[in-house]
Amino acid sequence: MAGAANQISRKKHVQELSMEGVEVPDQYISKDPTALIRGPEDVKESLPFMDLPVIDFTRLITSHEEEVGKLREAFSSWGCFHIINHGIESIMDEIRKDAKEFFQLPMEEKLKYGKEPNDLEGYGNDNVALETQARDWIDRIFLTVTPQDQRRMHLWPKNPHSFRKTLQDYTEKATNIIEILIKFAAKSLDLPENIFLSKCGEKPLSHCRINFYPPCPKPELVFGLKPHTDGSVITLVLPDEEVEGFQFHKDGQWYRVRPLQGAFEVNLGDQFQVLSNGIFKSVFHRVVANKEKERMSIALFWNPEKGKGIGPLEELINENRPRLYNKVEDNSDITYGAYQKGTSALDVLRL
Ligand SMILES: O=C(O)CCC(=O)C(=O)O
Ligand SMILES: [Fe+2]
């Protein structure tokens, strides 16, 4: 009987489970003793808050020295920070509105853009590669954004009718911010501004993931997203403005983050750690579920051109700082495999 019940719930999306108010199904509850958390007791309200560094984007792009210094510090000892004064507040509101509307549509409408079971792209829930691994308490839309000729347009929602255009406008502006941050990251190390970008090739690969975390009756048993580092160079996250949930790990401790109105959150990914020969640090982070409230975030993952080998910049290798990582030809398989196993891609790349 239990098996049959599992079969049924396995097909359901988290949003349906949440609305039906059923018990949290087993496959969402972590049982793996080697998982990166010890248990729900270190997840919840007992954790301290920590404000992330706040970078003023307008001050940064006018090469305000103090702001460039703050960026370097944020990249090298946090791997995670907020940016304000970025100038794209109105399109932020639009994409939030369209994405929320999509998740409110009837299931049969959303399933028109549904992903295939072993695919990542489209609307759907968490894929797990291992039976022992718990599913994340999340539904999402995952789409390739660039290169444009690799978009799978049949998976881009047409409902609400403005969705495609809004996503196009939003990701274009968000990409611009990411590329400026990568330039200023180089400047902050006294390197030519295009040095990282040019290593990443002409056709960066970017994916957008709209993360929708429905309320969970027992949030202490699940993760919205398990602890992980992003495999990207940089991830620009449009966080939920009202509902907290994002947590990060620093100096041996997990911290909660309060939402900051109008801000983006930037996560430095593994590939930037590799490119910078370990000067910049990718951030270990996770998302916890909420008992009463749904939460939504929109992540834009920016990666090098597909097949472009990524290794530490020669300029950042010297006697005092020997090469830390191997060059890797295609990081995406390593990253995804590592997430599924609950390990870090950097362990695979480290010399
Ligand atoms: O929901 C969030 O705040 C973070 C999302 C995230 O970490 C991801 O999509 O990789
Ligand atoms: Fe992430």
Side-chain angles (χ1 to χ4, degrees):
M1 283 303 283
N6 268 344
Q7 283 297 318
I8 294 164
S9 58
R10 205 185 300 279
K11 289 190 199 116
K12 289 197 174 157
H13 286 71
V14 172
Q15 198 175 8
E16 294 169 294
L17 297 172
S18 174
M19 272 161 37
E20 287 166 11
V22 295
E23 287 284 301
V24 175
D26 251 15
Q27 73 244 33
Y28 290 89
I29 302 173
S30 176
K31 289 169 253 33
D32 180 358
T34 64
L36 291 158
I37 49 145
R38 281 172 304 284
E41 69 283 356
D42 74 340
V43 173
K44 291 288 141 173
E45 280 75 13
S46 54
L47 286 183
F49 280 103
M50 170 92 88
D51 290 333
L52 297 173
V54 180
I55 304 287
D56 183 319
F57 196 70
T58 305
R59 265 165 70 98
L60 181 74
I61 58 178
T62 48
S63 295
H64 217 282
E65 223 169 275
E66 191 195 346
E67 222 59 29
V68 178
K70 271 167 72 181
L71 185 74
R72 181 187 166 134
E73 171 69 14
F75 273 149
S76 51
S77 46
W78 293 74
C80 185
F81 54 91
H82 277 134
I83 54 174
I84 55 165
N85 271 337
H86 44 70
I88 67 166
E89 290 76 5
S90 68
I91 189 77
M92 255 174 155
D93 293 342
E94 282 175 46
I95 188 65
R96 274 196 180 113
K97 183 172 149 295
D98 282 3
K100 274 230 158 94
E101 248 176 70
F102 174 83
F103 282 101
Q104 281 159 4
L105 294 172
M107 188 50 76
E108 76 256 29
E109 181 61 23
K110 288 189 288 234
L111 287 175
K112 290 184 184 163
Y113 311 97
K115 69 176 182 61
E116 297 298 324
N118 294 320
D119 199 354
L120 285 176
E121 279 198 56
Y123 163 69
N125 48 11
D126 189 19
N127 291 36
V128 284
L130 301 171
E131 274 308 307
T132 49
Q133 221 200 4
R135 281 172 193 263
D136 291 337
W137 190 262
I138 186 174
D139 293 337
R140 73 260 296 232
I141 313 172
F142 184 82
L143 299 167
T144 297
V145 174
T146 63
Q148 288 215 17
D149 59 9
Q150 284 177 34
R151 290 182 182 182
R152 292 160 69 186
M153 288 315 294
H154 65 287
L155 297 172
W156 283 51
K158 278 191 189 156
N159 191 354
H161 73 277
S162 51
F163 186 98
R164 286 185 176 186
K165 178 167 186 324
T166 308
L167 189 65
Q168 162 64 31
D169 290 353
Y170 172 73
T171 51
E172 215 175 284
K173 295 194 162 89
T175 301
N176 190 35
I177 291 180
I178 292 175
E179 293 181 358
I180 291 174
L181 287 172
I182 297 173
K183 285 185 185 175
F184 275 89
K187 282 189 167 193
S188 80
L189 299 175
D190 294 322
L191 293 169
E193 65 173 21
N194 282 319
I195 202 157
F196 290 122
L197 284 174
S198 62
K199 294 280 171 215
C200 295
E202 292 289 305
K203 289 184 161 186
L205 177 64
S206 63
H207 305 287
C208 186
R209 188 163 77 187
I210 304 179
N211 299 312
F212 185 80
Y213 310 94
C216 180
K218 296 236 172 72
E220 66 282 8
L221 297 182
V222 304
F223 278 119
L225 279 179
K226 282 182 274 298
H228 66 283
T229 53
D230 292 347
S232 56
V233 174
I234 281 191
T235 309
L236 191 70
V237 183
L238 176 56
D240 198 292
E241 266 196 312
E242 272 135 44
V243 184
E244 81 166 269
F246 177 86
Q247 301 183 343
F248 69 101
H249 197 258
K250 189 174 191 303
D251 307 326
Q253 164 78 52
W254 283 102
Y255 293 100
R256 301 161 75 186
V257 176
R258 284 191 190 86
L260 180 64
Q261 298 296 305
F264 275 109
E265 184 201 289
V266 177
N267 291 340
L268 185 116
D270 290 344
Q271 295 194 75
F272 218 171
Q273 181 160 334
V274 170
L275 275 164
S276 69
N277 199 27
I279 293 177
F280 297 153
K281 305 284 185 312
S282 66
V283 64
F284 194 44
H285 58 285
R286 65 188 185 188
V287 176
V288 296
N290 190 292
K291 197 170 168 106
E292 278 101 33
K293 295 179 188 155
E294 66 187 36
R295 181 172 181 277
M296 193 183 73
S297 69
I298 303 177
L300 183 63
F301 302 93
W302 193 100
N303 300 284
E305 182 173 334
K306 199 162 171 46
K308 192 93 187 153
I310 285 296
L313 219 63
E314 291 300 327
E315 289 78 351
L316 298 175
I317 301 171
N318 55 43
E319 271 165 37
N320 300 328
R321 176 170 282 279
R323 167 189 280 271
L324 289 182
Y325 302 103
N326 280 313
K327 188 168 178 179
V328 61
E329 286 310 318
D330 196 335
N331 196 53
S332 52
D333 290 349
I334 298 177
T335 302
Y336 184 62
Y339 181 69
Q340 290 293 329
K341 291 195 205 101
T343 57
S344 164
L346 291 173
D347 295 338
V348 182
L349 302 180
R350 197 167 279 115
L351 278 171

